[in-house]
Every structure is written in structure tokens, then in C-alpha cells.
Amino acid sequence: MDSSFPSYVTDILLPCLLIFAIMLPKGMCALRVHCNEKDHNLLLNFKHTVTDRSHILSSWSHEQHCCEWVGVQCDNITGRVTELSLPCSPELSANTCEYDKVNCLAGELHLSSLQLEFLNYLDLRNHDFQAVTLNDCPHSCENINSSNLLYLDLSYNEDLHFDHLHWLSIFPSLERVNLSGINLQGKVDWIQLPTLLPSIKELRFDSCQLRNINPFLQYVNLTSLEFIGLSDNSFSSLLPVWLFNLSDLTFIDLSYNNFQDQFPKGLLNLQKLQTLYLKHNKLVGSIPVWLGQLEHLQEVDVTENLFSGPIPSTLGNLTSLTHLRVSSNHLGGSLPESLGQLLNLGVLEFDDNHLTGHVCERNFANLSKLTVLSVGSPGLIFEFDSLWIPPFQLEQVGLSYVVGPNLPTWLYTQTSLALLQITYSSFSLESQDKFWDLVAQVPRLYLTYNTIVADISNVLLNSTDVRLYSNQIRGTLPRLSPNVVWFNAKNNSFHGSLSPLLCQNMNERSQLIYLVLSDNFLSGELTDCWTNWKSLAIISLSNNNLAGTIPRSLSFLSNFTVLHLNKNNLLGELPLSLKNCQNLQDLDVGENKLSGYIPYWIGHNARVLRLRSNQFSGTIPPQICQLTTLIVLDFAENNIFGSIPPCLHNMKAMAFPRSSELSSICITSQGVVYKIIVSAMLHIKGQEWFYEGNLRFMRSIDLSSNNLSGMIPPDLYSLFELLSLKLSHNRFEGNIPKEIGNLKQLESLDLANNLLSGEIPQSIAQLSFLEVLDLSFNNFSGKIPLGTQLQGFAAQSYIGNPELCGVPLPKNCADQNDMKPVEENDNQENEFLLSFYMGLGVGFAIAFWGVCGAIFFNRNFRCSYFRFLYHIRDKLYVLMVLKMNRFR
């Protein structure tokens, strides 16, 4: 450059040229770069080896070069593929509350498709791959040039399986691996993975069903590991020693396991640790004071363990701490004031412990960044100044064990609340309009298990999610705004009609999907205003005093999934219009006064059908066999007659495992997914049980106390998953076939008060899970089969069968067996004596007639015979004369 140029021009021009030189390749190459041909072909090969049901890879074609394909990123200069990011977003199924992966990739994951030499990022999470295939490498898999791969995420491919993890060694540069949600049960080599991946920094094995963690292993070659996630597995040992020898760890998540140990002192070695999650375990002992020496700690969560002792005041030294959760333990003592020094604290939860003393504004005066607060224990006393204004604005607040006429006044200064939860407290809301004004702006309002003095008849509830159950609230029902999606007010003291709530005038369409008012004192008829609530999916009005008939307007609820009307005084028949509710899964109208025939129109999605304790009559319709998803069938205590339909083998949910798992229902409203836990009240094992989350495992048939007759159909014994079978108090005939031994899962069997006969089959002893057995008052005969289970039941299980014997009955089968040989001997002896006496008679007759014949037909014998008689006569005469002379 000419030196005549002014220096200021040079100073301006050179930086501009430098910036242009930097920007030029980036801009121009973005227009000119083309995908490497080898990478292009490898990606097309990957496309052809997978099943693409939703055409996710439709842009992968020869019409575009691969750098423009969905999920593919290339180097701007070389055109080589560096990233393949294709995570799937499965849709949530409303029926099962599980993710439906019909729109995700499936098939086998072929490693030959991963021979992209410059690939450093691979994300295929949430798809539906079934296997990692190793045998399709063109040469040896060890020769695959994949040394650049740094990040691998195959998480939540739930059906993905492989025999070992050694195939990961073909990516020696891996730093981050996520295999969460994949079943690795029995894959004990997971702990050896670091020897295959010397550069590993992050391991995620959450929800992998792992069991073995080698707790006493002293050392594992994980010197570079910074992040380890092992939550939601099946560990039940002590905490692993080797884990606390990894000095570079910054993140540990061992939550949702069954670890049983104390706080390991080895944590002191982890001076870089920032996050420690140990929640939902069985850890004991105290939280150590030396925990305050880990100065880099930002998050600590030990919720739901068995920790005792005080909360250490040394935690106030952790100036970087942002999250502290110690709820649901057995911690005692007072709340340390030193926690008020944690100026960066955003989440503080210490409720559900055994804390004592006072909690007041001094504990929170400096916590200006606090957004989540959960506080309360039975012995903790709230003592806040009524004029105190907190330095924080909370998003979530949980208060428990508040005792007093009023709630803390500082609560009304919180204008950003998204969740307000108050439990196990006692307070009054009479004439507290400011409380209802406050919660009107709170999306989630949870007031549960309280003693609340309040009449909320005139209150308009506006929160999206309102849970007011178990509070002893009195008065008539409140009104709901169209914004309310979830309303649960069960187990209170509400009385009066449903009309104030359901028949109100609304200018907007209601969003309500969940309505539960069970266990109150509601009366009157079921209103006919259901057409105003077409979004409703769950209705539970059980255990009230409702009367009248079931209105037809219920059939207009197209999203109808659950209907519980049991334990009321309802009359009439089930309206035929309910057959329009094809989404109905759970119908419970038991313990009413309903009549008519058993409905044949129940939708094919039904899983719980409970009509017990009514006045239904007629026969069981054969259409019941079409309910392939049914897991609970209860028609007990009605007037049903006829026989059981011989088609029960079609009820597949009771025959095959995992064919129907009713645990929850997911419903989406305004972009929010609500997970609803399905519940049912069932008569099982002679008692009434409430099933909620565990309803998914139940398989039950109860047809007891009717007028059913005929043979028990053989199909019934093909329902292999059946847990409870009750057919008592009917008129069933025939015997119990040996196929009953097929019901291996059976826990309760009641066939009492029938006309069953024959011997009890030996195969019934194979029912090793049997807890309840009642075969009383039938016509069974013979010996009770030997088996630990059968002899363990009381005699009441077998009484009323006169011909039945054996333990535990007092009638001994051995006595009967001994009597049979005696009777046989007596018969043999009688036959011998009869033959003997007959022989004597015949012999006497032959001898008599032989002598007579000789006397009459032989003269010499006759003369000799009479001379013999005369001789005997003379001897007897002389003998008598001598005897008489002696007495003289």
C-alpha cells in the first residue's frame, strides 16, 4: 500500500477488510457448499433401513443435497455432515396416557449408517427403534471411522435392546451418552463403559431398570466424568463408594431408587459438585454439617427420605445455593436463621417434617430471589408480623399446618402466584373476600385436608385447576367460571342441589373436563343441564343422596370417559342414549335402585363396568364378550338369571398380560395435558377396597347373589390374568374342572352357596397366590386335595358339603377308609356262614333221607337199626332206676 495514504485511512480500511474476509466465506459458502457425496449416500442408506411411517425423511432425496435435508447440518466449508438431529415428538394418547410413536422412526438402527467420518452430534431420541444392528458393517465394525462423534442420544427408544454395550467402543471420542428409558436390566457391563470411552463426561442412564451398581467397588475409571444420571432405576443397595471418588463430578442424580445408607463422607471429595439429587430413597441418619463445605453446590434435593436430626446451620455458607429441598423427612429442631443468608436462593422447601419453634419474617427477610416456598410441620408455629411485606414475589407457595383464625397477611401481597397450596390447616374464610379475590388470579388452587370454616355458596371460582377436597366446607355448591378445567370438591359437607353449579348462565363455553363431588350430602335429582358442559370427560357424584332418574342429556357429552354415580338413590333404567358415549371407559352405577335389563350397548372401550346392588333383571347379554378391554365386571346382587355366555375367552384384557392397563387418562385442554388417575371402589377378598393407581393391575369378575344357573363355562378358566372370581349365591351346577389350575394369578375364589358337586380337583392346589377361598354349601365330595394353600384356610371355607372330608374339616377321610375294609370283611364272613349253614342243612337232609331209605328198603339194616334202638332204651331204663334208688 502506498505510504502516501493517510494513516487514518489505513486504520479504517484494514479492520474492514479483515471483517469482510471473515464474513465472506461464511456467507458465500452457505450458498455454494454441497453435501459430500459419500455422506449423501450414507444418509440415503440410513433412510432405506428405517421405517418412516410419517414421512419425516421425505426431504431426503436426490432433488436436494443432504445439507438442506431435515435434521442434517454440514460444515460450511467442507460440506461434510457434522450433526444429525432427528428427535421425535410422540403424541400423548388420551386412552392410555402413554406416548404414541406412530409418527416416529422405527425398525432397526444399522451402524453402517453411522459411518459419517465427521459426525460429532447424533440425536435419535424418542423414536421406536427395536435393535442396534452390528453385523451389517461392510468390514469390521471396529474399523468404522467415527472418532469425531462426541454426543450420542438414543434415549426413550423403549423397545430398543442390545446384548451388551461394547458396540459403543467404535466411538472412542464420545463425551456425552444418553441411554435413558432403555431397558438395560441384566446389562451389568454398563459400569465398565468408561473403560471403553476414556473421554466420557456425561452419562445418563435414567429409567433403565438397572439393579447392579457394585456399591463396594472402590475405583472406576471415570476420571473425566462430570455428569451422571441414574434416577428411577431398581438400585436397593448402599450408595456406591466409587461414585464419590470422581473428583470432577458436578451433577449427581440418584433419585427414585431404594438406596439405603447415610450421607456418604466421600462427598467431601467432590469439591466441584453443583447438583445433588437424592430424593425418593430410603436414606437415614442426619444431614451432615460438613455439607456446607461444598461451596459450589447450587441444588440440593433430598425430598422423601428418612433423614432425622436438625437442618444444619452450615448450609447458610453455601452462597451459590439456588435450590434447597428437604421436605418429607423426619427432620427436627428449628429452622436455622442462617438460611436467610442464601441471597441466591430461589427454591426453598422444608415442609412435612418434625420441625418445631417459630417461623417468622426474619427467616426470609433477605431472600429477594425466592420464587418457590413450601413450609409447615405440625410443631412449627407461624408468627409473621401482619405488616410485613416480603422482598420476593412467589410463583408457588405451599403452607401446611397453619393454625389460627386467619392466614398470614403477607400472602395477600403475592400477585404473581401460579400455585397456592394449603394443607392440614385450620382457619376461617368467613367474610374473607380478599382471599377469593386473590385466588381468582391463581391458575392452580389446592386447598386439601383442612378444617375450613367457610360457606362458599356465593363464590365464583375462576382458577383453572381447583382442588377443594377433604375440607369440611359447608353450604351449597359454588359457581364456576368458564375458565375452570378441573374441579374436585369431594369429601366435604356440601348440601342441596346440583342446579346452582350446573344450571348457571355462562356467556362463554365452559372448559370443564373434570367434575368430582363425591362423598358429600348433595340431594335432589340429577339436573338436565348437562348440555352446558360438553367438554366434561370425568364425572363422579358417588356417595350422595341424589334421587330420580339418569337424564338423557348426559349422552350429549362426546368426551365422556368416566361416570361414577354409585351409592345414591337413583331409579329407573340406564338411558339407551348413553350408547352414543363411545369413549366411555368406566361406568359405575352400583348401590342404587336402578332396574331394567343389563345394557348390551356398552362401548367397546369399556374397562370398568360396575352395576352391583341394584334391581337389574334378565340375562347377561352375549355382547359383553365383545368388551376386549374390560378388566372389572361386577353385576353382583341383582336379579339376573340364565347362564353365563360361553364366549368369555374374547375378553382379552383378562386373558393376556399388558393387554389393557387402565391407570390414567390424559386429556388436553387449552394446550395443557391433564393426567387423570382412574379409581374404583371394588368388593375384593370379602371387603370393599378403593383402587386408584393400582387399578391397572386388577382383573375381577363378580356375579354373586343373583339367580344364575347352568354350568360354569369352560371359557372362564382361560382368563389367565384373573385375580378375583366371585360366583357365590347362585344355582350353578356341575363340577370344578381341572382347568381351574390355569388361573395362576388368582387371589380370591368364591363359589359358595351353589349346587356344585363332584370332587375338588387337585389342580386347585396350584393356585399359589390364593388368599381367599370359599367353597362352602355345595355338594362337593371326597377328600380336600393336599396343598399348603388349601389346608391353610379355615374350615368355614368348606363347610356345608356333607360328603367332603380332610383337613381342615373335622371329618377325617382316614376313618371312612378304615370302615370300608371292615364292611368288606363282615360281608365275606356272612357269606361264609351262610354257605356253612346251607352245607349243614343239605348234609343233614342227605343223611336223614339216606338212613330212612336204608331202613325202609333193606330188611337186615332195618332189623339191626331197631335192635340198636331197643338196646339204647334198655340202657337208659336201667340208668334211670339206679338214679332213683340212690335218692331213696
Side-chain angles (χ1 to χ4, degrees):
M1 186 176 294
D2 194 338
S3 59
S4 62
F5 276 92
S7 60
Y8 68 87
V9 175
T10 306
D11 293 339
I12 296 175
L13 185 60
L14 287 178
C16 291
L17 290 175
L18 181 60
I19 294 173
F20 180 74
I22 294 173
M23 295 294 295
L24 182 62
K26 189 172 183 178
M28 295 186 64
C29 290
L31 297 175
R32 297 179 180 178
V33 67
H34 286 276
C35 177
N36 177 271
E37 184 177 358
K38 180 180 178 181
D39 291 352
H40 181 98
N41 294 332
L42 283 171
L43 289 176
L44 283 180
N45 182 52
F46 171 79
K47 176 183 178 180
H48 295 146
T49 58
V50 302
T51 302
D52 186 6
R53 294 169 290 200
S54 297
H55 308 291
I56 299 174
L57 308 179
S58 58
S59 64
W60 290 27
S61 64
H62 290 289
E63 298 177 1
Q64 296 178 329
H65 62 81
C66 69
C67 295
E68 297 178 352
W69 293 350
V70 171
V72 178
Q73 289 191 24
C74 300
D75 184 272
N76 289 331
I77 299 176
T78 64
R80 301 305 297 265
V81 175
T82 58
E83 292 190 15
L84 180 57
S85 182
L86 290 169
C88 182
S89 299
E91 298 178 357
L92 197 61
S93 170
N95 289 335
T96 63
C97 228
E98 296 179 354
Y99 287 101
D100 188 350
K101 297 190 174 183
V102 68
N103 61 331
C104 300
L105 300 176
E108 294 186 351
L109 181 59
H110 292 254
L111 284 183
S112 62
S113 306
L114 304 179
Q115 296 182 82
L116 302 166
E117 298 177 24
F118 292 89
L119 187 69
N120 58 57
Y121 186 97
L122 178 62
D123 185 355
L124 296 174
R125 66 181 184 270
N126 284 329
H127 285 285
D128 198 21
F129 292 115
Q130 281 79 45
V132 172
T133 303
L134 307 175
N135 57 6
D136 62 339
C137 304
H139 305 292
S140 174
C141 283
E142 286 76 9
N143 295 327
I144 294 180
N145 187 4
S146 301
S147 58
N148 289 310
L149 190 63
L150 303 177
Y151 180 93
L152 175 64
D153 191 345
L154 300 178
S155 59
Y156 298 100
N157 283 268
E158 287 87 354
D159 295 325
L160 188 62
H161 67 274
F162 25 77
D163 296 330
H164 55 79
L165 299 175
H166 294 290
W167 58 273
L168 288 171
S169 62
I170 64 178
F171 312 117
S173 298
L174 271 175
E175 295 182 356
R176 306 186 186 280
V177 175
N178 189 351
L179 299 181
S180 298
I182 300 173
N183 186 357
L184 298 178
Q185 185 177 1
K187 308 294 187 300
V188 295
D189 59 343
W190 73 271
I191 207 168
Q192 302 170 4
L193 193 58
T195 61
L196 308 175
L197 305 174
S199 302
I200 194 70
K201 293 182 179 179
E202 178 178 326
L203 282 177
R204 289 182 178 266
F205 287 149
D206 304 307
S207 305
C208 290
Q209 302 184 39
L210 295 172
R211 295 180 181 274
N212 182 20
I213 198 169
N214 290 340
F216 302 110
L217 191 64
Q218 295 293 320
Y219 177 77
V220 175
N221 185 21
L222 287 167
T223 54
S224 60
L225 195 64
E226 300 173 356
F227 185 114
I228 185 165
L230 295 172
S231 68
D232 194 18
N233 279 289
S234 301
F235 301 125
S236 57
S237 63
L238 299 176
L239 290 170
V241 175
W242 55 264
L243 185 63
F244 306 107
N245 293 324
L246 309 178
S247 57
D248 287 336
L249 273 179
T250 62
F251 184 101
I252 297 176
D253 188 356
L254 302 179
S255 305
Y256 298 95
N257 283 288
N258 286 303
F259 286 114
Q260 304 172 35
D261 203 351
Q262 297 184 346
F263 246 103
K265 291 186 177 180
L267 273 174
L268 277 172
N269 300 329
L270 309 181
Q271 289 298 316
K272 297 181 181 179
L273 191 63
Q274 298 177 8
T275 303
L276 176 63
Y277 291 158
L278 296 174
K279 58 184 175 182
H280 293 273
N281 279 286
K282 297 179 180 179
L283 301 175
V284 297
S286 60
I287 300 176
V289 295
W290 48 256
L291 195 63
Q293 299 179 29
L294 301 177
E295 59 183 15
H296 294 289
L297 268 181
Q298 297 178 10
E299 298 186 29
V300 175
D301 190 343
V302 294
T303 304
E304 290 200 30
N305 279 281
L306 304 173
F307 290 121
S308 56
I311 300 175
S313 59
T314 54
L315 294 181
N317 300 330
L318 303 176
T319 56
S320 299
L321 202 62
T322 60
H323 294 66
L324 177 60
R325 295 184 172 99
V326 295
S327 301
S328 302
N329 282 280
H330 303 304
L331 300 172
S334 60
L335 184 68
E337 291 190 12
S338 61
L339 297 183
Q341 303 171 13
L342 301 176
L343 303 182
N344 292 310
L345 200 62
V347 175
L348 177 60
E349 298 178 355
F350 56 92
D351 59 301
D352 192 19
N353 280 286
H354 301 313
L355 298 174
T356 56
H358 295 73
V359 56
C360 61
E361 61 272 9
R362 290 194 307 273
N363 299 101
F364 313 105
N366 299 319
L367 305 183
S368 58
K369 295 183 179 180
L370 203 62
T371 59
V372 176
L373 174 64
S374 188
V375 53
S377 289
L380 203 59
I381 300 174
F382 288 77
E383 199 175 60
F384 290 96
D385 189 327
S386 60
L387 301 178
W388 179 59
I389 299 177
F392 48 73
Q393 279 294 319
L394 298 175
E395 297 176 4
Q396 299 181 19
V397 59
L399 303 176
S400 56
Y401 300 101
V402 179
V403 178
N406 299 306
L407 294 170
T409 55
W410 63 262
L411 188 63
Y412 299 102
T413 67
Q414 304 301 299
T415 58
S416 302
L417 286 177
L419 168 64
L420 172 60
Q421 179 171 355
I422 304 176
T423 59
Y424 301 106
S425 298
S426 178
F427 54 92
S428 174
L429 291 179
E430 295 285 1
S431 69
Q432 283 207 18
D433 293 338
K434 62 179 181 179
F435 176 81
W436 300 111
D437 292 340
L438 168 69
V439 300
Q441 310 303 320
V442 179
R444 291 186 291 166
L445 173 63
Y446 297 170
L447 304 181
T448 60
Y449 300 104
N450 298 293
T451 301
I452 299 178
V453 179
D455 183 342
I456 60 174
S457 307
N458 297 320
V459 173
L460 176 65
L461 297 173
N462 189 55
S463 301
T464 304
D465 187 350
V466 181
R467 309 191 186 196
L468 301 179
Y469 55 84
S470 302
N471 289 299
Q472 304 180 25
I473 301 177
R474 65 179 186 272
T476 58
L477 293 170
R479 293 172 295 126
L480 303 180
S481 82
N483 297 326
V484 179
V485 175
W486 187 295
F487 182 51
N488 185 348
K490 69 178 180 180
N491 195 23
N492 280 288
S493 298
F494 289 113
H495 63 268
S497 171
L498 290 169
S499 298
L501 184 147
L502 294 176
C503 296
Q504 58 183 299
N505 294 322
M506 289 188 296
N507 297 326
E508 301 178 37
R509 182 176 178 179
S510 168
Q511 303 296 323
L512 191 66
I513 62 174
Y514 186 94
L515 176 64
V516 175
L517 298 171
S518 55
D519 301 295
N520 279 284
F521 301 102
L522 301 173
S523 58
E525 296 189 353
L526 284 173
T527 176
D528 207 18
C529 299
W530 296 101
T531 51
N532 298 333
W533 308 86
K534 292 184 179 181
S535 58
L536 268 173
I538 312 293
I539 300 176
S540 179
L541 304 173
S542 59
N543 199 19
N544 280 283
N545 297 314
L546 299 171
T549 60
I550 298 177
R552 296 180 179 179
S553 57
L554 278 172
S555 61
F556 292 101
L557 308 180
S558 58
N559 296 324
F560 212 4
T561 305
V562 175
L563 177 61
H564 287 179
L565 299 175
N566 53 302
K567 294 188 177 181
N568 281 286
N569 297 307
L570 299 174
L571 302 168
E573 300 182 3
L574 286 175
L576 183 61
S577 58
L578 285 179
K579 71 178 182 180
N580 298 325
C581 304
Q582 292 300 308
N583 293 322
L584 189 60
Q585 297 183 23
D586 186 349
L587 175 63
D588 187 351
V589 293
E591 293 99 356
N592 280 285
K593 300 176 182 178
L594 298 170
S595 58
Y597 295 114
I598 297 293
Y600 64 88
W601 40 259
I602 299 296
H604 291 179
N605 293 321
R607 300 185 182 181
V608 175
L609 182 56
R610 190 171 181 268
L611 311 180
R612 73 176 294 123
S613 301
N614 279 285
Q615 300 169 14
F616 289 107
S617 59
T619 60
I620 299 176
Q623 289 86 349
I624 210 77
C625 298
Q626 300 174 8
L627 305 181
T628 58
T629 59
L630 198 67
I631 63 173
V632 174
L633 175 64
D634 189 350
F635 293 166
E637 299 177 8
N638 280 285
N639 300 317
I640 306 170
F641 56 83
S643 59
I644 299 177
C647 54
L648 297 183
H649 63 276
N650 294 322
M651 300 168 67
K652 296 180 180 178
M654 297 193 188
F656 303 106
R658 297 184 62 84
S659 54
S660 176
E661 292 193 354
L662 176 66
S663 59
S664 54
I665 297 172
C666 282
I667 298 176
T668 303
S669 177
Q670 297 179 325
V672 179
V673 178
Y674 292 87
K675 185 175 183 179
I676 301 167
I677 304 297
V678 180
S679 61
M681 186 68 72
L682 304 179
H683 286 73
I684 303 293
K685 303 177 184 178
Q687 299 182 31
E688 191 174 62
W689 297 86
F690 181 72
Y691 286 80
E692 194 168 17
N694 54 353
L695 182 61
R696 62 186 302 180
F697 304 112
M698 177 50 60
R699 305 289 186 273
S700 171
I701 294 178
D702 190 348
L703 303 176
S704 61
S705 300
N706 281 286
N707 294 311
L708 295 168
S709 58
M711 305 277 288
I712 299 176
D715 283 8
L716 189 61
Y717 305 111
S718 65
L719 304 181
F720 306 126
E721 296 300 306
L722 204 59
L723 298 182
S724 178
L725 175 61
K726 189 173 183 180
L727 304 177
S728 59
H729 295 86
N730 282 287
R731 294 185 290 113
F732 289 114
E733 300 175 340
N735 57 9
I736 301 177
K738 63 179 181 180
E739 285 76 15
I740 196 171
N742 296 334
L743 306 182
K744 303 291 187 184
Q745 308 300 323
L746 205 61
E747 297 178 2
S748 178
L749 175 63
D750 188 355
L751 303 177
N753 291 90
N754 278 287
L755 304 175
L756 300 171
S757 58
E759 294 188 351
I760 300 174
Q762 180 64 43
S763 60
I764 202 172
Q766 301 173 11
L767 306 180
S768 56
F769 293 108
L770 208 58
E771 297 179 13
V772 174
L773 175 66
D774 195 347
L775 303 178
S776 60
F777 297 101
N778 280 282
N779 297 316
F780 293 119
S781 60
K783 184 178 180 180
I784 297 175
L786 294 177
T788 305
Q789 295 291 105
L790 302 183
Q791 273 65 50
F793 295 110
Q796 283 75 11
S797 297
Y798 304 99
I799 62 173
N801 294 280
E803 301 298 323
L804 199 60
C805 62
V807 180
L809 292 176
K811 188 174 183 179
N812 195 339
C813 296
D815 295 340
Q816 289 187 338
N817 293 335
D818 292 342
M819 290 295 293
K820 290 182 179 180
V822 172
E823 292 175 359
E824 291 177 359
N825 292 336
D826 289 342
N827 292 335
Q828 292 177 357
E829 184 177 350
N830 291 336
E831 291 177 1
F832 171 76
L833 291 176
L834 180 60
S835 302
F836 176 74
Y837 291 132
M838 288 181 64
L840 287 178
V842 173
F844 176 79
I846 293 174
F848 176 77
W849 287 112
V851 172
C852 290
I855 293 173
F856 287 111
F857 296 105
N858 190 321
R859 183 178 179 182
N860 293 330
F861 184 81
R862 185 169 61 249
C863 291
S864 298
Y865 175 70
F866 282 110
R867 280 198 299 268
F868 171 75
L869 290 179
Y870 291 149
H871 178 71
I872 293 298
R873 182 195 64 181
D874 292 341
K875 273 193 161 189
L876 290 174
Y877 176 74
V878 172
L879 184 63
M880 287 178 64
V881 171
L882 291 174
K883 291 287 185 185
M884 291 178 66
N885 288 336
R886 184 177 300 175
F887 287 109
R888 289 177 183 176

